[in-house]
Amino acid sequence: PYLPQEKDLVIIGGGVAGYVAAIKAGQEGMKVTCIEKRGTLGGTCLNVGCIPSKSLLNNSHLYHQILHDTKNRGIEVSDVKLNLANFMKAKDTAVNGLTKGVEFLLKKNGVEYITGEASFVSENDIKVALNDGGETTVRGKNILIATGSEATPFPSLEVDEKRVITSTGAIALEKIPETMVVIGGGIIGLEMASVWSRLGTKVTVVEFLGQIGGPGMDAEIAKATQKLLKKQGMEFKLNTKVVSGDKSGEKVKLDVDAAKGGKPETLDAELVLVAIGRRPYTQGLGLENIGMELDERVRVIIDSEYRTKLPHIRCIGDVTFGPMLAHKAEEEAVAVVEYIKKGFGHVNYGCIPSVMYTYPEVAWVGQSEQDLKNQKIPYRVGTFPFSANSRAKTNLDMDGMVKMLADPETDRLLGVHIIGPNAGEMIAEGTLALEYGASTEDIARTCHAHPTLAEAFKEAAMATSSKAIHF
Ligand code: FAD
Ligand code: NAD
């Protein structure tokens, strides 16, 4: 039966997944409610993730460059100082501007925004414990779970966000620590290690695997990245697992085991950053009230149209399958609304770029060499170093390379891996080429402006399909 108060779509979570779905559904003329408990919109990404971390990465790079990379450019600076409070304020200004912008967009698209914690009472009814006190209920014809993720805790080392921190603590430190051990050399570990190492902290990254960068990074690129980060002062312990921790003393102590026959040792640091991955967040959601299923990694189980076992309840973003990335959540948000409204949608999971915003940046899309080897797929490789690119040389910024992988028979592009200045912007070109099924010759025959870093992208394609000109 039609209930007048029933919404076409009730969205739980106002992160990237939730707020983008809310805007899209509003644009499609649906009656939408978005429930968020944080008090601000934008979720992890805008409040404590992508955005604040990129502010700190950008400004710490600038500071580091002013200190160490000006003399050879004929620029003399003196009396350079860091004001950590203002450095953090710049981050907060960026965050506040963007989260308020999202609130404006929800309003503009007619979305009802409720601040409070949502939980399922029944398959269509949601109770909201309002942030301002009291309670309300919302009924949805369709419901979207978009509750995101949280940092995976490290057993035996309780997070206090002061001495044992997650990324949330790492973007809000009030003083520059002397020493920091980072558990986990994935993207969060390396981005945060970069920020604090540039500001003067002695950082050691302990990584369980034999390479840094987390899942998906091409091994050759990961090795090159590690070399450059080491040159910047970071220390690495690979093939090393942190097994336990103790924060009862003046310093935080970590027991580590070297995987390949090395000796166990104890590390200590003023501060320890736990960056061993993130896990789906469904606490307090009352999923047990509707018999919702989670898999062994506590992800909400969905089908290819984001439907849970209850077809009117769908789920997207970090809380379910796939890479935990904001742009992946955003793609899914548009697609899920299209599935609800029109019955079809589209996300190409083979074509989702990854970017690590260290210096230089590392970016990739499609398959890595290991992926192809594991699947016994034949491939051809072409590379082009930034040291042979005129713009990189002019900018005195020559570390890194572009690497392409292509099918040896059809020349179809299979993967792009970049380490170098502006790799995060350049990967968009690789993503577009991959999405359109380009061959490397297609890219090689496309005119690129001179002098630009993007010419290295074209020349890597030339190196893959025939020969580069400048190397
Ligand atoms: P979230 O952003 O986590 O949003 C979920 C929201 O739901 C939260 O605000 C939460 O408060 C709310 N919620 C949960 N339960 C309830 C409930 N019961 N009732 C009401 N509200 C609820 N990704 C990138 O692509 N690029 C980056 O550069 C990048 N940098 C990152 C840096 C850091 C330090 C971290 C931690 C993450 C980063 N990510 C980055 C990952 C990115 O933040 C996530 O992939 C993205 O936020 C996922 O969006 P989401 O909407 O699924 O979840
Ligand atoms: P991750 O999975 O990328 O990396 C975690 C690393 O920790 C892995 O390399 C793992 O081998 C290692 N590890 C786990 N247990 C360990 C132990 N006991 N001792 C030593 N090493 C150990 O996870 P993350 O870096 O925490 O990031 C979480 C998510 O957030 C990722 O999905 C990432 O994509 C996303 N994120 C993205 C960006 C970006 O796009 N720029 C930035 C930050 C976070």
Side-chain angles (χ1 to χ4, degrees):
Y2 176 71
L3 298 166
Q5 74 275 31
E6 185 180 69
K7 294 283 179 170
D8 295 322
L9 180 61
V10 174
I11 301 171
I12 308 178
V16 177
Y19 92 69
V20 172
I23 292 172
K24 179 72 184 166
Q27 289 172 347
E28 293 289 340
M30 295 164 82
K31 280 195 287 169
V32 191
T33 295
C34 181
I35 308 163
E36 168 58 59
K37 67 176 180 175
R38 189 184 295 269
T40 52
L41 290 162
T44 303
C45 180
L46 266 66
N47 291 281
V48 291
C50 326
I51 297 302
S53 64
K54 266 80 256 178
S55 165
L56 301 187
L57 278 157
N58 186 63
N59 294 339
S60 63
H61 172 64
L62 190 59
Y63 172 68
H64 195 255
Q65 184 168 28
I66 292 168
L67 283 181
H68 303 288
D69 185 25
T70 47
K71 239 189 210 147
N72 57 341
R73 298 169 189 273
I75 304 166
E76 284 171 23
V77 289
S78 55
D79 204 25
V80 182
K81 281 191 201 122
L82 184 85
N83 181 327
L84 190 61
N86 286 348
F87 180 83
M88 292 293 173
K89 221 187 248 167
K91 170 206 67 171
D92 295 336
T93 304
V95 168
N96 292 339
L98 287 166
T99 55
K100 292 225 174 74
V102 171
E103 200 169 330
F104 165 77
L105 287 173
L106 289 202
K107 212 176 267 165
K108 185 178 151 199
N109 288 285
V111 176
E112 179 187 43
Y113 166 36
I114 301 182
T115 52
E117 183 172 27
S119 60
F120 282 96
V121 176
S122 71
E123 292 177 4
N124 290 87
D125 295 301
I126 288 161
K127 180 177 78 183
V128 188
L130 297 167
N131 285 2
D132 292 340
E135 205 177 274
T136 187
T137 52
V138 191
R139 189 174 172 85
K141 194 161 129 198
N142 294 284
I143 295 168
L144 183 63
I145 301 174
T147 49
S149 63
E150 61 177 352
T152 306
F154 186 82
S156 83
L157 205 54
E158 197 200 334
V159 168
D160 52 29
E161 298 296 8
K162 296 252 175 302
R163 299 168 69 222
V164 177
I165 59 175
T166 65
S167 52
T168 301
I171 56 164
L173 296 181
E174 284 165 11
K175 86 180 235 303
I176 300 166
E178 265 171 37
T179 52
M180 180 189 291
V181 171
V182 177
I183 313 179
I187 297 199
I188 291 191
L190 297 177
E191 287 187 351
M192 289 301 128
S194 292
V195 168
W196 293 103
S197 147
R198 290 167 190 165
L199 301 188
T201 305
K202 180 85 208 111
V203 181
T204 305
V205 177
V206 184
E207 169 55 52
F208 169 67
L209 299 174
Q211 75 167 61
I212 58 165
M217 190 182 288
D218 185 87
E220 185 183 7
I221 299 282
K223 221 173 180 176
T225 307
Q226 189 186 339
K227 217 165 143 189
L228 291 172
L229 294 180
K230 193 159 183 242
K231 236 168 62 184
Q232 293 168 21
M234 263 177 241
E235 261 194 55
F236 292 94
K237 284 183 178 290
L238 300 193
N239 296 306
T240 306
K241 186 178 179 183
V242 178
V243 284
S244 64
D246 175 10
K247 60 172 190 177
S248 60
E250 200 186 312
K251 289 199 167 170
V252 187
K253 285 200 165 82
L254 297 177
D255 290 324
V256 304
D257 259 356
K260 286 184 184 149
K263 274 194 240 135
E265 59 175 319
T266 303
L267 306 175
D268 62 33
E270 187 182 330
L271 219 144
V272 166
L273 168 64
V274 179
I276 57 170
R278 292 179 63 81
R279 62 181 187 191
Y281 182 82
T282 55
Q283 250 173 48
L285 196 51
L287 290 183
E288 62 287 354
N289 297 338
I290 52 167
M292 192 60 77
E293 288 169 353
L294 304 177
D295 75 354
E296 74 293 346
R297 285 165 61 188
V298 297
R299 298 175 294 195
V300 176
I301 298 172
I302 51 166
D303 67 10
S304 61
E305 296 180 10
Y306 310 106
R307 280 182 298 233
T308 65
K309 70 184 258 199
L310 300 167
H312 71 288
I313 303 179
R314 304 196 194 217
C315 177
I316 58 166
D318 278 13
V319 69
T320 184
F321 310 129
M324 291 186 173
L325 294 171
H327 43 280
K328 174 263 195 188
E330 194 168 344
E331 292 299 300
E332 289 182 341
V334 171
V336 77
V337 171
E338 289 177 334
Y339 275 119
I340 294 169
K341 182 79 184 175
K342 304 171 183 163
F344 55 85
H346 162 88
V347 178
N348 180 357
Y349 288 93
C351 211
I352 292 174
S354 293
V355 181
M356 179 166 86
Y357 298 82
T358 48
Y359 205 85
E361 291 178 350
V362 181
W364 67 95
V365 67
Q367 315 225 47
S368 67
E369 270 199 86
Q370 305 94 283
D371 293 337
L372 296 169
K373 272 186 195 143
N374 291 343
Q375 298 167 82
K376 299 198 169 48
I377 297 174
Y379 61 91
R380 195 161 56 205
V381 189
T383 58
F384 190 82
F386 281 104
S387 57
N389 171 272
S390 59
R391 185 63 181 278
K393 264 187 139 61
T394 314
N395 289 354
L396 302 176
D397 205 355
M398 290 165 293
D399 288 328
M401 65 165 154
V402 181
K403 170 175 175 176
M404 280 185 197
L405 302 163
D407 185 305
E409 257 177 52
T410 64
D411 189 35
R412 188 184 175 126
L413 184 67
L414 299 173
V416 181
H417 303 269
I418 309 171
I419 169 170
N422 249 344
E425 300 292 339
M426 198 180 293
I427 203 63
E429 188 174 354
T431 310
L432 196 64
L434 198 68
E435 184 74 60
Y436 275 59
S439 66
T440 63
E441 188 182 344
D442 287 333
I443 302 168
R445 289 186 183 277
T446 304
C447 183
H448 285 61
H450 176 75
T452 58
L453 297 168
E455 285 174 291
F457 190 85
K458 174 190 163 92
E459 293 238 32
M462 292 172 98
T464 317
S465 58
S466 66
K467 277 197 171 103
I469 295 289
H470 294 95
F471 188 67

